[in-house]
Amino acid sequence: YWISAYSNRLFNLYFPTGTLVVNVLGSFIIGLLIFGLDMRGLLRPELKLLIAIGFCGGFTTFSSFSLETVLLLRGSEFLLAFLNIFLNFILTISGIYLGYIITR
């Protein structure tokens, strides 16, 4: 919540920047932890689930992303809604991949 609120204040846009920042950060953390620890044999399957689903899943905000996208669509902000979907999709996958690259 704090990261999202701070990001929204910092960028001050009519766009759900805070949710995007949290989702990308959470994806990057998943990439770092899962690949970094798993590739070194330091991660049991249960711990992998706890990190990915428990911590990072609770940290990221798919439901907020969905709600904000629907609100943009309801407000006829079709370009911003598409941009929100596109950026969340591309940047979260990029965040995981960057975490993977860093840990190799």
Side-chain angles (χ1 to χ4, degrees):
Y1 169 79
W2 294 321
I3 293 171
S4 181
Y6 178 76
S7 298
N8 283 332
R9 259 194 334 272
L10 180 66
F11 295 107
N12 196 25
L13 301 173
Y14 182 70
F15 186 79
T17 310
T19 301
L20 177 62
V21 167
V22 168
N23 286 342
V24 172
L25 182 59
S27 296
F28 177 67
I29 291 169
I30 286 176
L32 281 178
L33 292 176
I34 296 301
F35 291 113
L37 297 174
D38 197 34
M39 290 171 63
R40 290 165 179 77
L42 301 173
L43 203 56
R44 294 189 335 258
E46 302 84 21
L47 190 54
K48 186 189 296 189
L49 288 173
L50 176 66
I51 291 170
I53 296 171
F55 173 72
C56 291
F59 178 70
T60 57
T61 54
F62 189 78
S63 57
S64 296
F65 153 73
S66 301
L67 173 64
E68 290 164 346
T69 301
V70 168
L71 291 174
L72 288 169
L73 290 169
R74 281 186 51 204
S76 298
E77 297 289 347
F78 302 112
L79 182 60
L80 288 178
F82 173 77
L83 187 62
N84 192 36
I85 294 166
F86 179 78
L87 288 175
N88 270 278
F89 181 74
I90 296 299
L91 294 179
T92 56
I93 291 173
S94 297
I96 289 177
Y97 189 68
L98 180 61
Y100 166 71
I101 295 296
I102 288 172
T103 59
R104 284 192 322 160

